[in-house]
Amino acid sequence: MKEKKVIIAAISQSQQILENIRQFLTEFDAAHPFFQDSDKENPHKILTINGDIQQISAVVEQEYPDLLLLESSGDEPNEMQILGNVTTRFPSLSVIMLCPIQSPEWLIEIMRVGVREALSTPLSRESLLNAVERCQHRIRQASMPVGNGKVLAFIPCKGGSGATFLAANLAYTLAAQDNKRVALIDFNLQLGDASLFLSDSKSQVSIADVARQIHRLDGAFLASSMIQVLPNMGILPAPNEPEKATEIKPEHVNPLLQVAIKNYDFVILDISRRMDAVSIQALDKTDTIFLVIQQTLPFIRDAKRLMNVFHSLGYKDNKLQLIVNRYDKKSEITLDDIQNTLKIPVFKSIPNNFSVVDESVNHGVPVFKFAQHSPVAKAIQEISSELNQSDEHQIHWFKRLFS
């Protein structure tokens, strides 16, 4: 069966940009992956409109495109408000901004109004086709059944939150306590050190090496690229050299996670709080995002900012879970204060068990193995049990449904 024809609308005041977009999307080699499983003779409908931000609503309401390519002038005072109104009304619409300058502050601002990616102008053929392919992949994924494995992401609301410690130790506990097949993937690409929390083994292979050979990735290749911590648990580490982080592209993320989902019960991602195209691709695939905070105002403030970004990306509250790390009952800021401010419940609080955590980290030994009966180990075991029970409940539900 042929997949749905993708409707692409491009709005720009530059006729040259519009001509380039149409040319790039109609004249490139039909062997490009963009055409896989689609109608190669007529894979998409392209609309080019010579105009500006003021025409977005009319174009979207009349044509209902899947993808909108929009040139940003940078000097339109109501640009973000207009765009935000449209993405709120049409949440399935994917938007790519075309702009000459991409400051970090501006990127965060456009993400908050629902923009998935930004491309520099003048446009290159490769960057445009890769971005369109990623958007088409998201459209395709939305209509496909979810794989067996669950994808969980841990993201710190500030540095030093303990997100990596929790991600690594939950991965180990799910494998050791609940006998689940678990993959821990370090998406903190420039400064990732998740492997150090569980093992002193060094790997010659990292996520960058897997990305370079993404065309041959399968379950066996993925397993062989990991540091094997347990027979049923492995770590795909971040690159040892930060400069290699640039080798991981957004188009590598979906194939990597798709293979992982098919081969593991749980795929746990350790992701930095820096929002870029690679991070967003990974977060799009997650079933649950655990935001790790502590009981201080800076953590709560940054948690609020992150949640606003996630909401603008279309993530619902049931995809977001709060974990309060180093919880102290005597703290001036209570769990109720956190919940009332962030408007979502706290999923779990992890006791402040500094001496055990410190020794566990320094020795590279998981707390489940090092101090199984400590308060912090027990809290992580509770999370593991809850996730396992939820997974088992869903399996039994499907069995009843189709029996």
Side-chain angles (χ1 to χ4, degrees), residues 244-255:
K244 288 189 176 181
T246 59
E247 298 179 16
I248 297 96
K249 306 297 184 184
E251 56 265 28
H252 297 145
V253 175
N254 280 316

Side-chain angles (χ1 to χ4, degrees), residues 149-155 163-175 180-188 194 198 207 226 233-237 256-257 260-261 264-271 282-283 285-290 323 380 383-384 387:
K150 296 294 183 185
V151 184
L152 313 175
F154 281 76
I155 186 166
T164 299
F165 171 83
L166 293 176
N169 278 275
L170 177 62
Y172 187 92
T173 303
L174 279 164
K180 295 297 182 180
R181 297 168 300 163
V182 184
L184 173 61
I185 303 179
D186 195 342
F187 268 100
N188 191 347
L198 301 181
I207 189 173
M226 291 183 166
M233 190 248 157
I235 306 171
L236 184 60
L256 171 59
L257 294 184
I261 288 168
Y264 294 90
D265 300 310
F266 288 94
V267 180
I268 296 182
L269 314 179
D270 181 31
I271 298 183
L283 292 170
K285 292 285 288 183
T286 59
D287 296 285
T288 304
I289 300 171
F290 292 104
I323 294 182
I380 294 172
I383 296 175
S384 177
L387 292 171

